[in-house]
Amino acid sequence: MPSPPTRGTALRQQLAELRGPDVPAKPLDARALAALAANPGCQRRALLDGAGVDKATLAQSLGSPGSFGQSQFAFMRGNAFEARVKADGGAELLRLAHARLGGGPDPVPGESSVPDLAAVGPEGRAARTSLALREATPAGGWTLLDHPMLALDVAGTPAFLEPDAVVIHPDGTWTVVEIKSFPMIDGSADASKVGAAARQSAVYALALERVAARMEPAPRVRHHVLLVCPKDFSNLPAASAIDVRKQLSVTRRQLARLTRIEDIAAALPPGTTFDVNGPAEALTAAVESVPATYAPECLAACELAFHCRERSREEGAVTSLGRAVRGELGGLTTVEGVLSAAHGVTGDPRDPAVAALRRAAALRAEALAGVGALGGPAGGAEC
């Protein structure tokens, strides 16, 4: 008699059924995790990412394709720059790490270690990375892990993450390395791009902390990551140490708030599937069966943003106006409810949000009345 499936096996089987038969899972990367941590209340994204659903293909099937992504030219340019940074056993990369972060004597070209991390499957690569970290930490030399694999539990399902590199310093500390193709001009780069890189690196640092916690004594994961970019308008590498303590704290807290994937999946109607090869009506109903929390920031981070924005506008949800506006409105969740409260039809006047809306409506009425009295458009005068 076969043994019953374990909880983890049953969840993986359920997630595979949600993707559709013979549909491979799309890996959950650090960029997606950073976006997920920025919007932990969105159960739709949590479930789709946890199940490995290709959201770009799903959005295309729903008729609302996303419009962001890296161009092929930028992708090739980034790969070429990364190869240059890691050439000669990562000599230049280790030199930059020592110059910006220290952690031991100057690295000597040819004497640093670059372990082979090849293994079968993401689980095998994650295990090989963990072994390499254990071996390199007490060695007392410079070690470069090129594209290591790290595992991180996200809402009950494992995510496998692949940073550009991890440096083990002679003092036994670990540093995440993020290599980007945007330029660093006069020692500084575009703030928004640096912020995105910092949030992504914080996910890697969090995964490294989980590996370190299983070691005795636990090595220290540095809270400064090494950001490497082209210098000015050349192809020469420049580096900066970015403090990600704030991003790390936010990511840790937000990921802990995520509803567990199995709880979201258990609430779905029987037979729900996100198979893009099925009927369009059934696919739309499946997506709509999972609650979403849309915000304008989703447009830069989620392939389903246009679909969710359209639904949010149809429902008149104030979240489509931004999280800041949503936070100011308290218990008012729809645009219709906001207008009704502002005009005194509904709402408790003791509610600060309602009182503020009514003051704003009164000021607007006074301003329009003043314009009318001066013969402006509100008074019907000709221009």
Side-chain angles (χ1 to χ4, degrees):
M1 180 177 179
S3 58
T6 63
R7 180 179 180 183
T9 303
L11 175 61
R12 285 194 293 271
Q13 181 178 349
Q14 184 178 16
L15 296 180
E17 292 173 353
L18 288 174
R19 285 195 305 274
D22 303 322
V23 178
K26 180 178 174 60
L28 185 60
D29 59 17
R31 189 188 303 272
L33 272 181
L36 186 58
N39 190 10
C42 187
Q43 296 185 24
R44 181 176 297 170
R45 171 149 199 169
L47 179 64
L48 293 175
D49 282 347
V53 175
D54 187 336
K55 297 195 299 300
T57 304
L58 179 60
Q60 186 78 34
S61 300
L62 293 171
S64 303
S67 61
F68 68 92
Q70 192 177 41
S71 69
Q72 188 65 25
F73 173 75
F75 184 75
M76 295 173 61
R77 182 181 60 188
N79 283 344
F81 177 67
E82 181 177 336
R84 175 165 187 165
V85 171
K86 294 178 178 177
D88 301 323
E92 179 64 13
L93 178 55
L94 294 176
R95 185 192 68 79
L96 291 170
H98 176 264
R100 297 291 180 266
L101 298 168
D106 290 345
V108 178
E111 295 185 5
S112 302
S113 175
V114 185
D116 181 8
L117 303 179
V120 178
E123 294 88 351
R125 290 185 58 200
R128 183 66 188 89
T129 297
S130 180
L131 179 60
L133 287 166
R134 289 177 181 274
E135 293 175 345
T137 300
W142 289 94
T143 300
L144 173 65
L145 301 187
D146 186 6
H147 284 286
M149 184 67 73
L150 306 171
L152 182 66
D153 182 84
V154 181
T157 189
F160 293 96
L161 312 172
E162 188 177 1
D164 292 327
V166 169
V167 170
I168 296 93
H169 300 251
D171 62 3
T173 56
W174 302 349
T175 294
V176 172
V177 178
E178 188 69 10
I179 302 174
K180 295 295 186 183
S181 60
F182 56 80
M184 190 175 292
I185 302 174
D186 292 333
S188 61
D190 182 270
S192 63
K193 295 180 179 179
V194 172
R199 290 189 293 272
Q200 187 174 337
S201 299
V203 176
Y204 297 136
L206 181 60
L208 267 183
E209 286 183 350
R210 303 294 168 84
V211 178
R214 296 192 294 268
M215 297 173 58
E216 184 61 42
R220 179 169 67 90
V221 179
R222 289 174 175 260
H223 57 252
H224 280 84
V225 303
L226 188 70
L227 176 63
V228 183
C229 302
K231 181 179 181 181
D232 298 326
F233 300 101
S234 70
N235 201 33
L236 299 175
S240 178
I242 308 296
D243 190 341
V244 297
R245 278 178 292 186
K246 178 180 178 181
Q247 291 84 354
L248 188 58
S249 176
V250 170
T251 301
R252 187 183 293 112
R253 182 174 65 252
Q254 298 292 62
L255 290 181
R257 288 178 53 198
L258 286 174
T259 305
R260 296 187 67 83
I261 301 298
E262 57 259 48
D263 296 337
I264 303 174
L268 296 177
T272 298
T273 178
F274 303 107
D275 186 357
V276 296
N277 298 315
E281 297 80 4
L283 184 61
T284 301
V287 171
E288 295 302 320
S289 68
V290 189
T293 305
Y294 170 78
E297 293 84 354
C298 297
L299 293 171
C302 183
E303 295 87 342
L304 286 176
F306 289 113
H307 174 82
C308 296
R309 181 179 66 175
E310 182 179 349
R311 293 296 185 270
S312 179
R313 288 176 172 175
E314 289 175 357
E315 296 169 359
V318 295
T319 51
S320 61
L321 304 177
R323 293 194 182 97
V325 175
R326 173 68 185 90
E328 293 290 338
L329 293 175
L332 301 173
T333 59
T334 65
V335 174
E336 182 181 356
V338 169
L339 295 176
S340 177
H343 295 148
V345 178
T346 61
D348 185 350
R350 295 170 296 181
D351 185 333
V354 173
L357 286 169
R358 291 180 180 176
R359 285 197 302 272
L363 290 172
R364 179 178 183 275
E366 291 178 7
L368 291 177
V371 171
L374 292 174
E382 295 182 356
C383 296

